[in-house]
Amino acid sequence: MAIHKLDLGEFDEIDYHLIAIHTSLEDYRLAYFINQNLPINLGKNENEIQINIKEGETKFSRFYFYDVEKAISWNLIQNKNEVIQQKKNGQNLFSNINVEVSTKVYLLPEFKKVDYFLKIENIDEAMDVLKIQSILNTIESITTAYSVETNKIKSKNNLIF
């Protein structure tokens, strides 16, 4: 009888590059400027990234482009969002009033200062990630853009979509 082994290390491989983007732009404006400067056409994706935490549920916006010729997927993902909770006021004069409390939530909590991530999947060696970074840094409204080492990401599961 043959024994079959399954190497789980194969499923742990990371086949994407992640570029962190710091900017004050709204997601649609950032996607527009990236489309103007890179040979891609990011469009709003209906399937937003949903995260459930103890405070509640939130969705992060996502812009997506699939390059058919090169088989490369581009995702522009929001990193910061808010969860709004309804809480009843305690035992006081205004106890019948509901209070809304908002909590900041991050797609990747270890990168709280990052506004957006550009996730590039199935990238080949011919495409230069440093060149993409330098093009992103030329966009006037982007404060900075840099590569994130994927082995430093603790919440990698949030990037599976």
Side-chain angles (χ1 to χ4, degrees):
M1 179 192 245
I3 297 175
H4 296 284
K5 269 187 170 178
L6 181 61
D7 184 14
L8 296 177
E10 292 177 15
F11 297 111
D12 229 11
E13 288 182 16
I14 296 173
D15 63 341
Y16 59 85
H17 287 277
L18 201 62
I19 298 176
I21 300 173
H22 295 261
T23 183
S24 59
L25 289 173
E26 294 290 325
D27 54 3
Y28 64 92
R29 301 233 335 130
L30 179 60
Y32 172 78
F33 287 124
I34 290 173
N35 288 342
Q36 295 295 313
N37 291 280
L38 290 174
I40 61 174
N41 188 18
L42 291 168
K44 180 83 169 160
N45 193 313
E46 300 293 320
N47 300 326
E48 294 182 329
I49 301 165
Q50 183 175 337
I51 301 289
N52 293 317
I53 57 170
K54 64 180 180 214
E55 288 87 9
E57 175 185 306
T58 189
K59 293 182 180 180
F60 295 93
S61 69
R62 174 180 168 209
F63 286 76
Y64 178 75
F65 173 70
Y66 181 72
D67 188 346
V68 178
E69 291 176 13
K70 299 175 184 172
I72 298 174
S73 297
W74 299 75
N75 286 284
L76 178 66
I77 312 155
Q78 178 185 22
N79 187 43
K80 299 177 182 178
N81 208 346
E82 289 185 346
V83 173
I84 298 174
Q85 297 175 281
Q86 297 284 337
K87 291 190 175 184
K88 282 205 177 239
N89 231 351
Q91 300 173 350
N92 59 19
L93 182 62
F94 305 103
S95 61
N96 61 346
I97 297 175
N98 285 340
V99 178
E100 287 187 354
V101 177
S102 68
T103 307
K104 278 217 180 224
V105 181
Y106 302 93
L107 182 68
L108 298 180
E110 55 269 27
F111 298 100
K112 290 185 177 180
K113 300 220 183 263
V114 176
D115 298 305
Y116 298 93
F117 289 104
L118 185 63
K119 179 183 175 188
I120 310 167
E121 294 179 88
N122 301 327
I123 195 167
D124 57 354
E125 287 80 34
M127 186 173 281
D128 188 10
V129 178
L130 291 174
K131 185 177 180 184
I132 295 169
Q133 280 178 225
S134 64
I135 291 171
L136 290 174
N137 279 316
T138 61
I139 298 174
E140 191 173 310
S141 302
I142 292 179
T143 308
T144 187
Y146 54 89
S147 281
V148 174
E149 290 184 38
T150 51
N151 58 357
K152 291 187 177 180
I153 301 171
K154 295 175 186 164
S155 48
K156 291 178 187 166
N157 290 343
N158 293 349
L159 292 174
I160 299 173
F161 44 86

